């Protein structure tokens, strides 16, 4: 079966310190708002100041937790995680938060991003851990990079976790937004590049950290500020303490603006919806076409389609209906159902598109399977012409910072011209926004963005074996 998936988000993290609130429930709703960032597993760790309890399982947040489960998790502080596996297999053992017993109690940790120096960290763990700890590494119960960080932090004996974190965090390379906790304290940290978003919010009687501002909104927390790249925060009954473990070298992921983040989220002061509308206007400027109707590929293509319609003066309409949940069911579709392919997710509105010259706005083309099937489906439903407009440039390079685009060999863009891609999709025309146009639409200076999946310029180290494969000498 062909894959009709787009790029896979990495994870969502959440943390709350609010002794008078139902923290498990707040975390549940926070994760609910972050569900789009990972749908394979979900987990919550809570502490009642004496003991940490972790509950996690495979599935959507609403499949993993119900009222009874949440009631069985009383606490004063909590962290939560919703996962898509970018490293490690998609199995229960790799669900997060990870937990490790320490000499002082417990440590639970949740991670959004992807570390690029796991070999170095494994070697460090072996060094740190005297002989009796080495077997611990061998039996480490999960293969993901998050367990490695948890295991390393747990080797520091009775040293206070704040000082442990200040030694461990500078040694991590790649992308990481962490929320972690001991029995009494909530911690958060963001890598020096700030690849992924992480924000701090205030409740009337507590604090919240979350991957996106939309998660603050849903739990009634007010936005305070972003957790700074290279910043480490601790929150407990003594209040909020902040330290810098590395100098900030901002390189926010440009793809968060295109696709990953919710439209109602704000990143670095820029509303994601408005950025996407600007991208659409820019696309209309760069790739105008004579057409009757602009339709989005829902949901992520919607704001850019609105922008394209505004910029071009062509009417906007809904030509596709999304069945948002079918792709995430645990029921394995039969062969007959599977052959429906893209129709499982999108269904055309025949009365809207019949006889029309359509501009179809989508966020990205990864393998091209989705758009190929889409063009065929729209033509079958009576579209006269199908003009594809893409709100990101061609994806040419893999991401090592937490997004799973597929390997370079699976990507459609490398090695093909835009016209060859157009032909392969069967579209009448195809236009990708330029990288400069996209950057301008974000209103973030180019030197503060990671754009590596489009230009191959990785702002941080990538795993050496991968650098060799990609022939990227400078990135090793
Ligand atoms: S490579 Fe692309 S997806 Fe990955 S962090 Fe950079 S801009 Fe984002």
């Amino acid at each position: 079966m062909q894959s009709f998936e787009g790029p896979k988000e990495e994870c969502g993290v959440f943390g709350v310190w609010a002794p008078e609130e139902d923290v498990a429930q707040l975390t549940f709703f926070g994760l609910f708002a972050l569900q789009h960032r990972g749908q394979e597993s979900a987990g919550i760790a809570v502490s009642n100041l004496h003991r940490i309890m972790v509950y996690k399982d495979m599935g959507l947040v609403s499949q993993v937790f119900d009222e009874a489960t949440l009631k069985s998790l009383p606490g004063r502080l909590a962290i939560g995680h919703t996962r898509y596996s970018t490293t490690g297999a998609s199995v229960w053992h790799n669900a997060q938060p990870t937990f490790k017993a320490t000499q002082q109690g417990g440590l639970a940790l949740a991670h959004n991003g992807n570390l690029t120096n796991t070999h170095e960290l494994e070697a460090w763990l072996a060094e740190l851990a005297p002989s009796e700890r080495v077997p611990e590494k061998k039996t480490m119960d999960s293969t993901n990079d998050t367990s490695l960080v948890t295991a390393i932090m747990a080797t520091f004996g009775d040293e206070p976790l704040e000082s442990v974190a200040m030694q461990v965090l500078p040694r991590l390379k790649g992308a990481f937004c962490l929320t972690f906790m001991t029995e009494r304290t909530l911690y958060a940290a963001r890598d020096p590049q700030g690849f992924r978003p992480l924000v701090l919010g205030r409740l009337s009687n507590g604090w919240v950290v979350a991957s996106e501002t939309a998660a603050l909104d849903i739990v009634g927390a007010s936005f305070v500020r972003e957790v700074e790249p290279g910043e480490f925060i601790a929150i407990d009954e003594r209040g909020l303490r902040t330290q810098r473990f590395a100098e900030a070298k901002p390189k926010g992921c440009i793809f968060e603006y295109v696709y990953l983040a919710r439209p109602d989220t704000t990143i670095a002061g820029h509303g994601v919806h408005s950025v996407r509308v600007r991208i659409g206007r820019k696309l209309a400027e760069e790739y105008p076409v004579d057409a009757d109707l602009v339709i989005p590929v829902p949901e992520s293509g919607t704001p850019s389609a609105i922008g394209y319609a505004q910029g071009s003066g062509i009417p906007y309409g809904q030509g596709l209906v999304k069945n948002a949940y079918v792709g995430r069911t645990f029921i394995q579709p039969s062969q007959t159902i599977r052959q429906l392919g893209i129709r499982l997710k999108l269904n055309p509105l025949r009365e809207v598109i019949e006889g029309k010259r359509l501009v179809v706005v989508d966020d990205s083309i990864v393998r091209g399977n989705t758009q190929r099937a889409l063009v065929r489906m729209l033509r079958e439903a009576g579209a006269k012409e199908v003009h594809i407009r893409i709100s990101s440039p061609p994806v040419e390079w893999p991401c090592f910072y937490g997004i799973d685009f597929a390997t370079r060999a699976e990507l459609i863009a490398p090695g093909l011209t835009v016209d060859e891609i157009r032909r392969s999709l069967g579209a009448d025309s195809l236009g990708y926004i330029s990288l400069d146009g996209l950057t301008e639409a974000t209103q973030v200076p180019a030197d503060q963005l990671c754009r590596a999946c489009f230009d191959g310029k990785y702002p941080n180290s990538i795993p050496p074996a991968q650098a060799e494969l990609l022939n990227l000498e400078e990135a090793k």
Side-chain angles (χ1 to χ4, degrees), residues 60-261:
L60 299 170
V61 178
S62 58
Q63 290 168 322
V64 172
F65 295 99
D66 59 20
E67 189 101 37
T69 320
L70 292 172
K71 280 217 158 66
S72 71
L73 295 169
R76 308 289 179 93
L77 61 154
I79 59 171
H81 189 265
T82 166
R83 173 179 163 87
Y84 166 70
S85 58
T86 46
T87 66
S90 174
V91 291
W92 186 90
H93 285 303
N94 284 332
Q96 296 187 31
T98 54
F99 176 83
K100 198 94 189 142
T102 68
Q103 279 187 22
Q104 301 163 68
L107 166 65
L109 187 141
H111 172 207
N112 170 206
N114 208 7
L115 299 180
T116 53
N117 64 334
T118 45
H119 287 309
E120 255 171 67
L121 296 173
E122 275 165 12
W124 189 31
L125 176 61
E127 216 180 90
L128 275 174
S131 50
E132 80 269 14
R133 289 197 184 271
V134 174
E136 192 171 306
K137 177 180 176 261
K138 284 187 191 147
T139 58
M140 216 155 55
D141 60 0
S142 130
T143 53
N144 60 49
D145 44 3
T146 314
S147 301
L148 194 53
V149 177
T150 319
I152 289 174
M153 286 192 180
T155 60
F156 279 76
D158 55 8
E159 226 179 296
L161 192 64
E162 256 161 274
S163 108
V164 171
M166 288 301 284
Q167 295 169 67
V168 174
L169 294 171
R171 306 262 309 238
L172 309 182
K173 287 190 184 150
F176 57 93
C177 283
L178 304 174
T179 54
F180 51 113
M181 63 191 274
T182 55
E183 283 75 3
R184 305 192 73 89
T185 308
L186 170 69
Y187 302 96
R190 190 174 178 204
D191 64 72
Q193 282 73 31
F195 285 105
R196 306 275 148 241
L198 189 66
V199 291
L200 177 69
R202 194 80 167 103
L203 293 164
S204 57
N205 48 9
W207 295 92
V208 175
V209 278
S211 292
E212 296 188 27
T213 58
L216 301 184
D217 298 338
I218 206 172
V219 299
S222 55
F223 172 76
V224 175
R225 63 176 176 84
E226 302 225 340
V227 175
E228 294 292 323
E231 184 182 9
F232 168 51
I233 285 175
I235 300 167
D236 53 26
E237 69 277 355
R238 290 183 286 153
L240 183 145
R241 300 178 292 286
T242 170
Q243 301 181 67
R244 184 160 284 289
F245 65 88
E247 188 194 332
K249 295 178 183 156
K251 291 281 180 190
C253 168
I254 200 168
F255 216 73
E256 292 279 351
Y257 295 97
V258 173
Y259 171 78
L260 302 172

Side-chain angles (χ1 to χ4, degrees), residues 195-196 252-256 260 398-403 405 450-454 458:
F195 285 105
R196 306 275 148 241
C253 168
I254 200 168
F255 216 73
E256 292 279 351
L260 302 172
C399 173
F400 299 102
Y401 311 126
I403 308 302
F405 280 122
C450 174
R451 312 187 298 177
C453 46
F454 306 122
Y458 293 94

